[in-house]
Amino acid sequence: GNSVTQMEGPVTLSEEAFLTINCTYTATGYPSLFWYVQYPGEGLQLLLKATKADDKGSNKGFEATYRKETTSFHLEKGSVQVSDSAVYFCALRAYNNNDMRFGAGTRLTVKP
Amino acid sequence: KAGVTQTPRYLIKTRGQQVTLSCSPISGHRSVSWYQQTPGQGLQFLFEYFSETQRNKGNFPGRFSGRQFSNSRSEMNVSTLELGDSALYLCASSLEGGETQYFGPGTRLLVL
């Protein structure tokens, strides 16, 4: 079945450091890939998405590229801020199916 | 546009009771999905409703049920509550199958 494996945290970085959170997936066909972010006490917010191979999703300085050859969708940000502290979830959804599969989540803490 | 709303935000119940959670999707969205989030199991898909019909179902016991109304609002019901049902229950809406899901803030259920 479809599944997502992401780097487990916690990850602690200093402000302005480079961030990478690894995400790989297993799926049949061509799933859509997502990164969601969850701040304390809140629901999930869509951070970025990509719907086909080689697409790059980007938002608020975060980027991720859909790599079909390596079945990966790694999240990157060049310079993190304290306000980026949150839990990040990688997710996939098979075509025309709302059964989303989520990774375990990666907790990021950014220290000033 | 208003986001996905969920009520109540917090709930405390005792074992054996039942509970009903409500979700109002983004205006115009016809698909509503429900997820359970726990520290141990992460995010797990419960079910999806589209045009008042259950379209997908996750691997949860029959104590978990749901429905959708003609205005797309959805409710989920858990009967005979168990301690392990303590979780954050998230609702997500999308236009219809194959679209990005937008999440509500969740209902935090504590079963004593």
Side-chain angles (χ1 to χ4, degrees):
Chain A
N2 297 340
S3 66
V4 174
T5 301
Q6 71 177 94
M7 182 172 95
E8 293 198 25
V11 174
T12 302
L13 296 173
S14 297
E15 208 164 22
E16 298 184 3
F18 184 85
L19 169 71
T20 299
I21 300 178
N22 291 337
C23 171
T24 57
Y25 67 89
T26 302
T28 54
Y30 299 90
S32 294
L33 302 174
F34 304 82
W35 277 100
Y36 283 87
V37 58
Q38 186 176 35
Y39 297 99
E42 298 183 12
L44 276 66
Q45 298 178 24
L46 177 67
L47 183 59
L48 52 83
K49 68 176 183 180
T51 57
K52 60 183 188 297
D54 298 326
D55 266 2
K56 178 187 280 189
S58 62
N59 185 26
K60 298 180 182 179
F62 291 89
E63 293 183 340
T65 301
Y66 189 142
R67 303 282 188 202
K68 188 159 178 62
E69 63 275 14
T70 54
T71 62
S72 65
F73 192 55
H74 304 322
L75 182 68
E76 296 182 337
K77 186 175 186 183
S79 175
V80 294
Q81 305 300 312
V82 173
S83 57
D84 293 328
S85 297
V87 180
Y88 292 81
F89 292 91
C90 184
L92 73 79
R93 191 198 67 240
Y95 176 73
N96 208 30
N97 183 332
N98 266 353
D99 179 0
M100 298 272 286
R101 299 300 171 100
F102 288 85
T106 301
R107 181 176 299 278
L108 169 67
T109 301
V110 180
K111 297 190 172 181
Chain B
K1 225 181 225 186
V4 178
T5 57
Q6 292 186 245
T7 57
R9 291 295 308 277
Y10 304 93
L11 208 47
I12 299 175
K13 292 286 187 179
T14 56
R15 277 182 300 173
Q17 287 187 309
Q18 74 163 16
V19 67
T20 299
L21 311 182
S22 181
C23 171
S24 292
I26 292 171
S27 177
H29 285 194
R30 297 166 63 193
S31 169
V32 173
S33 297
W34 289 89
Y35 296 84
Q36 182 195 65
Q37 185 179 24
T38 60
Q41 300 298 318
L43 275 154
Q44 294 184 284
F45 172 76
L46 280 155
F47 31 64
E48 182 218 358
Y49 285 86
F50 178 78
S51 291
E52 301 179 64
T53 301
Q54 186 180 89
R55 190 159 65 173
N56 289 300
K57 189 177 191 306
N59 190 27
F60 278 81
R63 299 186 296 108
F64 292 81
S65 63
R67 59 177 176 169
Q68 186 180 34
F69 302 94
S70 58
N71 62 357
S72 295
R73 190 177 70 85
S74 177
E75 290 181 347
M76 69 162 279
N77 183 275
V78 188
S79 62
T80 320
L81 284 166
E82 300 177 359
L83 295 180
D85 297 333
S86 295
L88 180 66
Y89 290 89
L90 293 165
C91 165
S93 76
S94 61
L95 283 169
E96 49 187 275
E99 298 292 334
T100 301
Q101 293 187 6
Y102 295 89
F103 284 78
T107 293
R108 187 166 295 281
L109 171 65
L110 177 61
V111 182
L112 302 175

